[in-house]
Amino acid sequence: MSATRPPPTWPRTAWLDMFTRIEVGWGAKSAAVAQVAADVGIGLDTVAFVDNDPLERAEVAAALPAVRCHPAGAVAELPALPEFSPGYVSEESRQRRHLYRVDEQRRAAEAGHTGPPVDFLASLDLVMEVRRAGPADLVRAHELTVRTHQLNTTGATFSLAELRALCASPRHEVLVARLRDRFGSYGTVGLAVTELRPATTVLRLLLMSCRVLSRGAGAALLDHLVHSALATGRQPVAEFVPTAVNRQMLVTLRFAGFAVQDDTGGRWTLAVDPARPPAARAHPVRVTAA
């Protein structure tokens, strides 16, 4: 999160390339940590804060309880901790730092944009490719289920074995969504797991990376799923499990035409009325199906 002044023999670009995001200031470190998380687009529960000063760690822990705080002397031991050692690491995760750096270019362009926000989104030339998940997608799909909490309809997690079984099942579809714009790829940012029943298509899980929250990608993907289900003669149905952080997904479902049908034990069932299908909406994201 912070760094001392680099030796003068280091090229400035080499020094900057060592960091994904730099936040320097004299304010509370909890504010700096929160700002970095917001700028990068990650949840505070995925952040670790390291500092040699116990007072600084205590301040961050009090202000941001979800952040893991560690003394500087423990840095060498951190890779052995479970939260730093996921069972699977996708190739996209290995490139995450590059993706964050490209996001920084997007933020700089957005900050320099002088027109309405909708015009900036249109200038990005956002394209989402939606396709059935293949074997090479499953590790990333698994990562998304365990890492994405805010933009997640049910919080369901799937192991690699479960995802393979769902992909092989004729009664299910596992779809992944990749997003790109004029700056480059965002990577695989969305996942949808649907169950195909005779009269309905049930959305068991829809999630979207928080990094693309401001791009309207979740609404574009959901509209694609709704109209795809209606085109097959099935009623779109969605399951929703409310949590402390995923209300945004309920709002997204409602704007896509889903109405609450049932609320049983904290699990909601929502559906679109086929007799009154939602009108097509304009999105800054163009969806292509592969």
Side-chain angles (χ1 to χ4, degrees), residues 83-286:
E83 57 265 38
F84 289 89
S85 305
Y88 303 94
V89 179
S90 70
E91 186 57 34
E92 283 192 28
S93 288
R94 299 183 194 279
Q95 303 298 321
R96 188 175 300 275
R97 183 172 166 279
H98 169 71
L99 295 176
Y100 289 154
R101 295 299 299 271
V102 176
D103 280 344
E104 187 175 352
Q105 297 175 29
R106 295 183 180 103
R107 287 195 300 272
E110 186 170 11
H113 182 74
T114 57
V118 66
D119 289 348
F120 174 74
L121 287 179
S123 76
L124 288 176
D125 297 326
L126 289 154
V127 179
M128 180 188 293
E129 179 193 59
V130 181
R131 57 178 173 79
R132 284 179 176 267
D137 300 307
L138 298 188
V139 172
R140 175 59 178 159
H142 168 69
E143 282 182 342
L144 284 170
T145 68
V146 298
R147 289 182 176 178
T148 304
H149 306 296
Q150 284 182 276
L151 304 183
N152 188 320
T153 54
T154 62
T157 60
F158 295 100
S159 67
L160 286 179
E162 289 172 326
L163 287 169
R164 291 192 189 97
L166 289 168
C167 288
S169 168
R171 295 180 53 247
H172 295 86
E173 277 190 337
V174 180
L175 301 175
V176 292
R178 292 182 61 85
L179 187 66
R180 70 177 187 273
D181 65 11
R182 60 186 173 91
F183 289 95
S185 176
Y186 292 79
T188 301
V189 297
L191 175 70
V193 178
T194 59
E195 181 178 350
L196 306 177
R197 298 177 182 173
T200 60
T201 295
V202 181
L203 185 59
R204 293 181 54 194
L205 171 68
L206 174 68
L207 60 81
M208 189 65 58
S209 170
C210 295
R211 291 193 301 115
V212 296
L213 173 62
S214 64
R215 300 298 185 241
L221 176 57
L222 188 56
D223 278 6
H224 171 76
L225 296 173
V226 167
H227 291 291
S228 295
L230 291 172
T232 64
R234 294 186 176 94
Q235 180 184 22
V237 174
E239 296 177 349
F240 179 77
V241 177
T243 70
V245 296
N246 73 344
R247 180 173 175 78
Q248 178 66 38
M249 289 305 278
L250 177 60
V251 173
T252 302
L253 287 166
R254 296 301 301 271
F255 272 108
F258 285 87
V260 177
Q261 303 292 308
D262 188 29
D263 177 4
T264 304
R267 179 176 290 270
W268 300 8
T269 301
L270 301 93
V272 171
D273 184 354
R276 292 184 294 176
R281 296 186 290 175
H283 294 288
V285 181
R286 178 168 59 88

